[in-house]
Amino acid sequence: MGGLITKHWEVLDDNGNKVAIQLCHSVVTGHRAVLINGVEVYSQTRFLDDGSFIQLNIANINKEATIRINISNFEFQYTLTIGGEVVKDMVSEIKEYKVEDIRISIPTYEIQQQGEKRFVNYKVYLSCDGKTYILLKRYNDFYDLDTKVRSAFANNHLLENLPPLPSWHFTWFIDHFDPEFIRERKEKLEIYIRSLLLVPKVPQLPDFIAFLKPEQPSSE
């Protein structure tokens, strides 16, 4: 399961002095930080779009410096180029989060109305790196995620390890706003997303990362 990835590079500036560059990327929260000689020069939390760039301004290096982030075969790849030349990284560290480091729960929900339509928003609590985020998700969001994950694993032996999504019901058979129905579905969705997190390679899927994309820490 993915966690906190740290990349290290060391280059010489135009005066011959060593410059240490470090990238820290949490594949769970999407937060990325860059430090140059131990000083943070870049910090952002965002969904990782394949092929994204981080432009760097390095003192005493009169060349364009860029860190490029790509996704290949469910894995993240990081490339530092200075003046168009690739810099070899010194060390790659991957901190695997333990179960207690990542917590996902769905303790509650809210019913919203837009015009004549009503729907249930399940409150997904994501706790990681000392912060807690609240994501509002409808059942359709879980359904779409499940479809995309199964498509990504279509020819992979891990397909059989994917947990089953709570079944969909026609509204004329079951009242989707019945408190007991919502409570039961909420509990099953929590089990589903927790189980999905534990399947190898799933946390690295762009669609899974997008599903758990945090907007901002909870104030609750």
Side-chain angles (χ1 to χ4, degrees):
M1 182 173 65
L4 179 65
I5 300 175
T6 305
K7 301 285 290 187
H8 302 265
W9 297 274
E10 190 174 273
V11 298
L12 297 177
D13 65 15
D14 295 341
N15 297 322
N17 299 314
K18 290 183 179 180
V19 178
I21 303 171
Q22 180 180 18
L23 168 70
C24 300
H25 173 217
S26 170
V27 300
V28 177
T29 66
H31 180 256
R32 294 174 283 176
V34 178
L35 293 83
I36 297 180
N37 291 332
V39 178
E40 186 175 277
V41 297
Y42 175 91
S43 178
Q44 188 176 42
T45 299
R46 53 172 287 186
F47 166 63
L48 182 66
D49 49 332
D50 189 24
S52 60
F53 291 86
I54 300 175
Q55 298 287 345
L56 301 177
N57 293 316
I58 305 176
N60 298 320
I61 293 184
N62 191 28
K63 295 179 180 178
E64 183 180 75
T66 302
I67 295 177
R68 180 168 182 168
I69 306 177
N70 290 97
I71 304 172
S72 178
N73 295 323
F74 306 116
E75 300 292 337
F76 292 96
Q77 297 179 345
Y78 309 85
T79 305
L80 170 66
T81 59
I82 296 181
E85 297 184 1
V86 176
V87 179
K88 185 177 180 180
D89 65 285
M90 298 173 58
V91 181
S92 289
E93 298 177 354
I94 300 181
K95 173 188 173 185
E96 293 293 332
Y97 287 120
K98 300 177 182 178
V99 174
E100 60 267 24
D101 291 328
I102 304 174
R103 296 182 181 179
I104 298 179
S105 63
I106 309 178
T108 186
Y109 64 91
E110 62 183 30
I111 297 177
Q112 291 190 350
Q113 182 138 6
Q114 290 182 349
E116 298 181 355
K117 292 185 178 180
R118 285 197 305 163
F119 54 87
V120 178
N121 266 329
Y122 296 94
K123 289 189 174 182
V124 180
Y125 281 63
L126 169 66
S127 298
C128 183
D129 293 338
K131 298 179 180 179
T132 298
Y133 304 86
I134 296 180
L135 316 172
L136 297 180
K137 299 294 183 180
R138 298 172 60 178
Y139 176 80
N140 286 347
D141 296 321
F142 287 91
Y143 183 86
D144 290 342
L145 172 65
D146 187 73
T147 300
K148 292 174 181 177
V149 171
R150 292 184 184 280
S151 176
F153 281 80
N155 298 313
N156 193 298
H157 70 281
L158 292 173
L159 178 63
E160 61 185 27
N161 293 336
L162 298 179
L165 179 73
S167 59
W168 183 84
H169 300 279
F170 289 105
T171 55
W172 52 82
F173 291 137
I174 296 178
D175 180 7
H176 286 191
F177 299 99
D178 176 72
E180 182 62 24
F181 172 81
I182 296 176
R183 182 196 62 79
E184 182 177 341
R185 172 172 277 185
K186 175 178 67 67
E187 293 175 354
K188 290 181 178 179
L189 288 174
E190 180 178 292
I191 294 173
Y192 167 77
I193 196 66
R194 282 181 171 181
S195 301
L196 198 60
L197 181 67
L198 299 178
V199 179
K201 296 187 181 296
V202 167
Q204 285 79 38
L205 288 175
D207 290 315
F208 186 80
I209 296 172
F211 180 85
L212 292 179
K213 174 188 174 184
E215 297 298 336
Q216 59 184 8
S218 167
S219 59
E220 296 187 4

